[in-house]
């Protein structure tokens, strides 16, 4: 059968109302496409136009958007990713996530650039989508099933699906959504679908072929991008061989590995759970998103079974952070979270809180540091909302407000922070505090420049505000194109000027002249990709402004939900207690960096975007 | 004034206010057979040079400072790890009393340390109402004006849990001009709103008693007369001292009644949203009185007496006193301008959480405040129009 073709983008979005079980189609206005690119950016804009302030994240008025970028389906390197945007039940503010599963390709090649879901179905359903539209199907037989079992059933009908597990059905506030073996992990999107009685969405796919408008320019850009990726030691070597677990030893050396609920910073046994050890002992094979050039995802043998290798965040938070140094145990926890459909970062952070709260007599449980035995059962209980699992499923912020222990509940704005201790990377501290979705390491990924690549001094505040703003804008572009965030390493580091500069010079120039120094990086790869696919003109300067627009829009949406300076903070432990591994007991000097960040962002002293900032970015104030 | 058939009023603290009040501390400690206190202060207090002033005031006394700890975390409650460390320090240094300098976080921590060093087992075992069974070590509170009244009350928040006991009252409250610092306009208004809520709710209950009236009325009057002046000119010494006195009295009055609807809801919203309690209470307070009128519940006309004094009270006809006092209170809050938001909507409080806040408030007041009333008050406060 000859496939139909879409040149550029279909620009068509499906809008589904589960309450009435009807759907409609609308076209993305060209203006919005140019101003927000696609993926996360466009998803945010669509929600901004449609969703009222103060809606209950678990109510029918919340909308979840699954958004494909313009690169999906074109074969651009590392473009097998899609975004989802909604209001988070964990944080009560906007959340977005990126996923490398096959659903993105399936929906895009069914002819749709995005899917908006609102309302609530009276009974459990799943959606079947093809180029003709949406069918609402009874989910009775798959409701209650674990993710992989449910996915096996629905995938008989299409080429890609998003599915929730029991955790989503039971409204666990950090339930995730699965596609293939990848996840829309953070912020509890699974619970949003669960509250809507929506178990899965399956897309037929393979109906359309996606072609760039300017194919020559596209091929040239792809060649350059692939060359960068294959040249860069992080993407071509470190991640390809050891996966993201290569971070374990780097973090341990830099003193930013979370140990015992962020009291340590490094640990003598960390090597046992490192990427290097997994390669040596567990026989890993590639298992990646499609298409991918970096190949960071792996499968390996744990406890005699072939399983996905836990990502670094999972290893960090279920491993050293719980004082567990057994890769097989960590893999067991990862498998339970996969089956139940739970974010491993939030699950690990919440369990660590429970362990410490139990130790301090604030909370009653059998959990204790260094003891994996109780963790597996507790994770299953969380997913099934049984016993103490019901309360643990509310996340560490809720628990600490009820039982105490707020100083060691390691979250920002309700989202548990990822496995990087910012007391060893001050820029990452700022980045965690101001990240739009909460304790997110991906908003600027500053830790890598401070602690791994030594391009910034980790213990100073110089240049941190400027770089944070720059990286946030970049990554909002990346998540809107949509492409893998790891491609930022080659784009930032492979251009000749950066490569030729000695580390000391680079370090000084980035710290003292950050706004100038960051222009050494070659961001035109991304703008050329977008313009070659859509046919619209875009240069890297305009693209960065779009990134800024997306970021500020998200912030503005959050401030309408009550977010302000009071929320741009870190857990008390990171502000007041030093790490055991640091003889100087340094803490994050957040108050020094925050005003500078607000200034470069165009926010007022309370962290609210100024009217003139909104006007400049053409964001209509509501 | 009303005289109930029977009433109980308890006030433990001795208040030492005004010039040279600090120099009296050693006498007060001696009268409690103590001379080696553990002194707690926040970093902010230390940076303002207040602990130095305090130490200087003890030069000629026989008081030995067991340990001076100036690193109290600026949380809105005491955290257990710091509390346990300080209890250890208290024992290791052979201290016999505690002095807290600062605001709520320091006092809560001091009360927690006092529970730890005066009782067996974990501090958290004593959470709740009237679980403590024996007297604690002598406890002196030196106010810096950075407070809201709960410091001088019989309650403490440790790890977000409420501890209530008459043993938690400070033995001595010191209000010395030299230690009272000026706050920002925002903080001053927020602190005053917490104290005003405590005072109004403690004298507005039908089963009130004359002693509570006395404390509450003076507190209301001091706040009414001094807050606007302090907000305009934060460095007015007399005004700040009057407010510090008001907060101390409000705390004592508040300790003799169960938490009211505004106080409970204010705590619930603040805990969830991270907004200052004073902001939440300031928004709810005038509306709660209007809501009671709507429900045909009586509001004691003595509120007008507290606000305007005897002359103003007499000038208003008896039938108009309730409405007048509500109008004055509303105007008083409105005159603070943009410092206090006028509605929960303006404060970006999530409406879908109202049920949760109502449940929390009702539980805090031991069901003396109904969930239904809370919901209705929150609905009114959402738009800010009664």
């Amino acid at each position: 059968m000859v496939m139909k073709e879409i040149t550029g983008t279909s620009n068509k979005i499906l809008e589904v109302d589960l309450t009435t079980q009807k759907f409609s189609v609308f076209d993305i206005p060209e203006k919005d496409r140019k101003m927000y690119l696609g993926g996360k950016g466009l998803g945010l804009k669509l929600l901004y136009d449609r969703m009222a302030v103060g809606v209950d994240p678990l109510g029918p008025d919340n909308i979840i958007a699954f958004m494909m970028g313009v690169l999906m389906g074109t074969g651009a390197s590392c473009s097998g990713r899609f975004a989802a945007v909604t209001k988070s039940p964990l944080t009560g503010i906007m959340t977005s996530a990126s996923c490398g599963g096959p659903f993105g390709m399936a929906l895009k090649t069914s002819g749709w650039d995005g899917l908006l879901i609102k309302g609530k179905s009276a009974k459990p359903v799943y959606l079947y989508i093809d180029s003709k539209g949406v069918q609402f199907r009874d989910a009775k037989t798959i409701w209650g099933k674990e993710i992989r079992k449910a996915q096996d059933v629905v995938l008989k009908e299409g080429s890609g699906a998003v599915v929730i597990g029991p955790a989503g059905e039971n409204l666990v506030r950090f339930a995730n959504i699965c596609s293939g073996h990848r996840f829309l992990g953070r912020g509890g999107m699974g619970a949003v679908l669960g509250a809507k009685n929506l178990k899965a969405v399956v897309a037929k796919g393979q109906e359309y072929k996606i072609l760039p408008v300017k194919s020559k320019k596209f091929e040239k850009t792809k060649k350059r991008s692939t060359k960068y990726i294959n040249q860069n030691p992080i993407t071509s070597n470190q991640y390809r061989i050891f996966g993201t677990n290569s971070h374990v030893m780097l973090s341990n050396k830099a003193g930013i590995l979370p140990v015992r609920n962020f009291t340590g910073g490094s640990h003598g046994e960390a090597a046992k759970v490192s990427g290097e050890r997994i390669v040596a002992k567990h026989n890993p094979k590639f298992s990646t998103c499609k298409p991918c050039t970096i190949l960071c995802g792996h499968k390996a043998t744990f406890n005699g079974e072939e399983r996905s290798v836990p990502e670094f965040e999972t290893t960090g938070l279920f491993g050293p952070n719980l004082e567990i140094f057994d890769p097989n145990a960590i893999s067991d926890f990862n498998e339970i979270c996969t089956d139940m459909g739970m974010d491993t970062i939030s699950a690990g952070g919440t369990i660590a809180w429970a362990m410490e709260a139990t130790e301090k007599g604030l909370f009653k449980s059998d959990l204790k540091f260094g003891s994996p035995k109780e963790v597996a059962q507790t994770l299953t209980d969380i997913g099934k909302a049984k016993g103490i699992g019901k309360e643990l499923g509310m996340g560490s912020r809720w628990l600490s407000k009820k039982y105490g222990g707020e100083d060691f509940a390691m979250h920002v704005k309700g989202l548990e922070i990822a496995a990087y201790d910012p007391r060893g990377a001050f820029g990452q501290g700022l980045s965690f505090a101001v990240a739009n979705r909460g304790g997110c390491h991906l908003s600027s990924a500053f830790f890598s420049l401070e602690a791994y690549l030594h391009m910034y001094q980790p213990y100073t505040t110089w240049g941190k505000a400027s770089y944070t703003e720059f990286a946030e804008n970049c990554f909002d572009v990346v998540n809107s194109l949509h492409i893998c965030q790891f491609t930022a390493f080659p784009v930032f580091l492979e251009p000749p000027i950066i490569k030729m500069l000695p580390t000391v010079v680079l370090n000084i120039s980035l710290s003292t002249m950050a706004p100038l120094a960051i222009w050494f990086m070659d961001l035109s790869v991304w703008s050329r990709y977008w313009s070659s696919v859509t046919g619209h003109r875009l240069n890297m300067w305009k693209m960065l402004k779009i990134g800024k627009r997306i970021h500020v829009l998200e912030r503005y949406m959050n401030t309408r939900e009550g977010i302000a300076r009071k929320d741009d903070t870190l857990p008390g432990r990171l502000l007041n207690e030093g790490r055991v591994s640091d003889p100087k007991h340094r803490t994050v000097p957040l108050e020094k960096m925050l005003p500078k960040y607000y200034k470069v962002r165009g926010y007022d002293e309370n962290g609210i975007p100024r009217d003139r900032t909104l006007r400049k970015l053409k964001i209509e104030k509501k | 004034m009303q005289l109930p058939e029977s009433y109980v009023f308890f006030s433990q603290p001795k208040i030492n206010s005004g010039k040279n009040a600090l120099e009296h501390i050693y006498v007060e400690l001696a009268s409690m057979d103590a001379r080696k206190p553990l002194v707690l202060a926040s970093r902010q207090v230390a940076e303002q040079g207040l602990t130095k002033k305090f130490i200087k005031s003890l030069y000629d006394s026989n008081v030995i400072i067991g340990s001076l700890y100036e690193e109290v975390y600026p949380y809105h409650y005491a955290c257990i790890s710091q509390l346990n460390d300080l209890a250890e320090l208290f024992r290791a240094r052979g201290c016999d009393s505690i002095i807290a300098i600062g605001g709520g976080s320091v006092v809560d921590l001091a009360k927690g340390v006092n529970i730890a060093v005066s009782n067996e087992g974990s501090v958290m075992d004593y959470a709740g109402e009237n679980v403590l069974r024996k007297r604690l070590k002598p406890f002196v509170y030196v106010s810096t004006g950075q407070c809201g009244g709960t410091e001088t009350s019989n309650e403490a928040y440790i790890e977000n849990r409420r501890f209530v006991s008459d043993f938690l009252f400070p033995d001595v409250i010191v209000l010395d001009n030299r230690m009272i610092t000026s706050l920002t306009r925002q903080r001053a208004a927020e602190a005053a709103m917490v104290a005003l809520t405590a005072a109004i709710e403690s004298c507005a209950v039908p089963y009130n008693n004359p002693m509570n009236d006395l404390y509450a009325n003076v507190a209301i009057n001091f706040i009414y007369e001094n807050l606007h002046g302090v907000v305009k000119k934060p460095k007015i010494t007399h005004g700040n001292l009057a407010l510090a006195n008001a907060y101390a009295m409000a705390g004592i009055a508040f300790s003799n009644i169960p938490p009211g609807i505004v106080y409970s809801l204010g705590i619930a919203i603040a805990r969830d949203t991270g907004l200052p309690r004073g902001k939440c209470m300031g928004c709810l307070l005038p509306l709660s009185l209007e809501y009671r009128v709507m429900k045909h519940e009586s509001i004691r006309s003595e509120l007008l007496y507290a606000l305007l004094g005897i002359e103003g009270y007499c000038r208003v006809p008896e039938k108009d006193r309730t409405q007048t006092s509500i109008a004055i209170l509303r105007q008083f809050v409105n005159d603070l301008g943009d410092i206090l938001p006028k509605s929960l909507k303006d404060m970006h409080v999530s409406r879908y959480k109202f049920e949760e806040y109502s449940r929390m408030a009702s539980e805090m007041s031991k069901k003396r405040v109904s969930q239904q009333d809370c919901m209705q008050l929150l609905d009114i406060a959402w738009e800010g129009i009664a």
Side-chain angles (χ1 to χ4, degrees), chain B residues 108-176:
Chain B
D108 280 349
L109 186 67
K111 287 177 179 177
V113 174
N114 209 352
I115 296 170
V117 297
S118 310
N119 290 279
E120 303 291 318
S122 164
V123 171
M124 301 315 288
D125 297 341
Y126 299 93
E129 281 190 33
N130 299 317
V131 183
L132 285 169
R133 287 278 166 245
K134 63 176 187 183
R135 266 193 75 85
L136 308 182
K137 304 280 181 199
F139 172 40
V140 177
Y141 166 49
V142 181
S143 174
T144 55
Q146 300 158 343
C147 47
T150 49
E151 298 79 5
T152 57
S153 73
N154 62 351
E155 72 168 26
Y157 282 89
I158 298 163
E159 289 291 4
N160 259 341
R161 273 187 252 176
R162 190 165 174 256
F163 290 63
V164 183
S165 165
D166 285 343
F167 298 121
L168 288 173
F169 274 120
D171 294 295
V172 181
I173 300 166
V174 178
L175 308 166
D176 189 299

Side-chain angles (χ1 to χ4, degrees), chain A residues 291-522:
Chain A
C292 180
T293 314
I294 300 172
L295 312 175
C296 72
H298 295 90
K299 275 188 174 180
T301 310
F302 295 97
N303 284 333
E305 287 175 25
E306 190 174 74
R307 300 169 174 177
S308 289
V309 175
E311 297 291 340
F312 167 69
E313 306 306 330
T314 311
T315 301
L317 288 154
F318 279 141
N321 201 41
L322 305 184
E323 288 195 322
I324 293 169
F325 297 94
D326 175 5
N328 288 313
I330 295 168
S331 166
D332 287 345
F333 306 153
N334 192 43
E335 291 294 295
I336 294 168
C337 287
T338 300
D339 282 335
M340 292 292 141
M342 297 190 296
D343 171 22
T344 52
I345 300 179
S346 285
T350 303
I351 298 251
W353 174 89
M355 285 178 170
E356 189 164 347
T358 302
E359 203 174 75
K360 291 194 160 126
L362 300 173
F363 185 72
K364 281 189 183 130
S365 77
D366 298 327
L367 293 161
K368 48 181 180 282
F369 287 108
S371 174
K373 206 172 63 188
E374 299 81 11
V375 177
Q377 186 56 49
T378 306
L379 286 171
T380 308
D381 288 347
I382 294 173
K384 293 183 175 170
K386 266 172 61 186
I388 60 163
K390 198 171 180 181
E391 288 203 327
L392 290 173
M394 301 297 284
S396 61
R397 176 170 71 175
W398 186 92
L399 286 158
S400 63
K401 280 184 192 294
K402 180 165 183 185
Y403 293 102
E406 280 194 69
D407 55 314
F408 58 84
M410 306 308 287
H411 70 85
V412 175
K413 302 183 182 87
L415 189 72
E416 285 72 17
I417 65 173
Y420 306 96
D421 191 323
R423 287 167 296 185
F426 290 171
Q428 186 56 46
L430 173 67
S431 178
F432 273 142
V434 298
N436 276 335
R437 70 174 176 177
C440 166
H441 60 297
L442 295 169
S443 71
S444 82
F446 214 149
F447 61 90
S448 56
L449 266 61
E450 294 179 291
Y452 299 172
L453 300 167
H454 310 292
M455 289 170 72
Y456 276 90
Q457 287 288 350
Y459 294 112
T460 68
T461 59
W462 290 351
K464 302 286 167 88
S466 301
Y467 179 78
T468 300
E469 191 244 12
F470 164 77
E472 285 172 341
N473 295 346
C474 280
F475 293 146
D476 277 327
V477 166
V478 163
N479 288 319
S480 302
L481 286 170
H482 183 160
I483 199 166
C484 174
Q485 206 164 319
F486 291 157
T487 60
F489 285 114
V491 165
F492 286 3
L493 305 174
E494 287 309 309
I497 305 177
I498 292 267
K499 282 188 94 171
M500 278 154 47
L501 282 176
T503 311
V504 182
V505 179
L506 193 63
N507 198 319
I508 294 168
S509 57
L510 278 170
S511 300
T512 54
M513 299 176 289
L516 289 177
I518 51 187
W519 301 122
F520 300 155
M521 300 163 180
D522 181 6

Side-chain angles (χ1 to χ4, degrees), chain B residues 44-62:
Chain B
Q44 194 190 359
V45 166
E47 281 163 7
Q48 288 170 326
L50 298 178
T51 41
K52 278 186 189 160
K53 283 184 194 169
F54 166 77
I55 292 166
K56 204 174 162 191
S57 75
L58 295 178
Y59 275 175
D60 293 334
S61 72
N62 60 351

